[in-house]
Amino acid sequence: MPVAGGGRRFSRDPRGPQIRINHRIRVPEVRVVAEDGSNLGVLSTEQALRRAQEVGLDLVEVNPKATPPVCKILDFGKYKYEEKKRQRDAKRKQTVVEVKEIKIRPKTDDHDIEVKLRAARKFVEAGNKVKVVCRFRGREITHPERARMQLDFILSKIEDIANVEQRPTMEARTMAVLVAPKPIVFQRLASERAQKERTRGKERPAGEGSSPENTLDVDLDEDEDELHEPDDDDDDEGDGDEAGEAGEAGEAGKTDDAKT
């Protein structure tokens, strides 16, 4: 049944490079590496296939761009498993840097600033960038020095572990600063990660319990929920209260009319 619009029935996503093995190797001759790592030299493809069949293994093309292509005699199933394992290990070891945002107000008190400061340090120590945003409401924007003083205080308390990527600057009705972890933080995280991998491999069985990295992520998420200032606009709250009182008075009047 044709598809409306004349499009293809199935989309053809680009496929990655495919590994050719055994009879899928079409070239007339290849350079062969034996199963023990020794070099067998350049052989015809038929001879190489016969050699692989004699030992019960596969002929796998490992370097198709060479002249002639390089093939190795090995167990292809085991080769794919080890390749996927290497990719998983590389993905686990790579560092993903996120930007965590902390919001404050010019009238945020000193205790709340200390709470947000501790959270900022925890984010930086976990290898994340931190953006501290001070938002102005109403006439607060006429006193930007208050916000700059707060941001400078936060920077002074984390300068031992963070570099300033963006100094305090105005962005519309906000003033923001961006900091990133110093290299020493990433070095410490890498050593801790390596230590955890060694400990996990020696002591803890696979799949048992939760990893310390997951526990750290949960703690960071809980802290992040407490970092945003509520929108405590007094003018808006006053307008809402007056509107609510007016609505209640109107409903009371309707009830009296109905009773009459």
Side-chain angles (χ1 to χ4, degrees):
M1 179 178 178
V3 180
R8 293 182 178 274
R9 188 178 182 87
F10 301 102
S11 62
R12 293 186 177 181
D13 297 330
R15 301 175 63 185
Q18 300 297 308
I19 300 176
R20 288 187 284 268
I21 65 172
N22 298 332
H23 295 287
R24 293 184 179 181
I25 302 173
R26 304 295 186 182
V27 294
E29 60 182 15
V30 293
R31 185 176 300 276
V32 182
V33 178
E35 64 277 6
D36 57 358
S38 61
N39 188 3
L40 300 182
V42 178
L43 303 176
S44 68
T45 304
E46 293 182 359
Q47 290 177 328
L49 281 172
R50 194 179 306 114
R51 175 72 172 78
Q53 291 172 354
E54 289 175 357
V55 294
L57 297 174
D58 302 299
L59 183 67
V60 181
E61 188 179 55
V62 294
N63 187 1
K65 295 184 179 180
T67 305
V70 179
C71 295
K72 189 172 183 179
I73 298 175
L74 47 79
D75 185 345
F76 185 60
K78 183 178 179 181
Y79 172 78
K80 287 201 303 181
Y81 170 77
E82 292 177 349
E83 186 67 21
K84 290 182 179 179
K85 185 178 179 180
R86 283 193 295 268
Q87 292 176 359
R88 287 196 302 269
D89 292 341
K91 186 176 181 181
R92 188 185 303 116
K93 292 178 181 178
Q94 71 181 4
T95 303
V96 179
V97 179
E98 298 182 5
V99 179
K100 301 292 186 178
E101 186 173 284
I102 298 176
K103 293 182 180 180
I104 61 176
R105 295 281 302 281
K107 59 183 180 181
T108 301
D109 58 31
D110 295 339
H111 173 72
D112 290 340
I113 290 291
E114 291 290 342
V115 172
K116 295 174 187 296
L117 175 60
R118 289 196 297 270
R121 287 192 65 91
K122 185 177 292 187
F123 288 145
V124 173
E125 289 171 351
N128 298 308
K129 294 183 178 182
V130 176
K131 183 177 183 180
V132 185
V133 180
C134 183
R135 192 174 70 163
F136 301 96
R137 278 187 173 275
R139 295 181 61 84
E140 291 175 349
I141 200 169
T142 60
H143 300 284
E145 65 278 0
R146 172 64 179 171
R148 184 175 293 275
M149 182 178 65
Q150 291 174 326
L151 297 178
D152 288 340
F153 173 76
I154 294 175
L155 291 178
S156 67
K157 295 298 184 181
I158 61 175
E159 62 182 0
D160 58 321
I161 58 173
N163 292 321
V164 180
E165 288 195 350
Q166 175 185 320
R167 301 296 303 178
T169 55
M170 291 294 297
E171 300 175 359
R173 298 186 65 86
T174 63
M175 183 179 290
V177 64
L178 180 65
V179 298
K182 288 185 175 180
I184 189 173
V185 175
F186 293 115
Q187 294 172 4
R188 179 179 54 79
L189 290 174
S191 62
E192 289 179 357
R193 190 179 297 113
Q195 181 63 31
K196 289 174 184 176
E197 290 292 335
R198 290 193 294 268
T199 304
R200 185 182 297 113
K202 292 179 180 179
E203 298 179 358
R204 198 177 68 181
E208 179 180 347
S210 60
S211 66
E213 295 178 358
N214 294 336
T215 305
L216 177 60
D217 292 340
V218 172
D219 294 341
L220 291 178
D221 291 340
E222 292 176 353
D223 289 337
E224 191 172 3
D225 293 338
E226 301 175 356
L227 296 181
H228 302 294
E229 285 288 318
D231 293 335
D232 51 352
D233 192 349
D234 297 336
D235 296 336
D236 293 344
E237 290 179 357
D239 295 341
D241 294 339
E242 293 176 1
E245 292 174 358
E248 292 176 359
E251 291 179 359
K254 292 180 181 177
T255 303
D256 294 340
D257 294 340
K259 290 179 178 180
T260 304

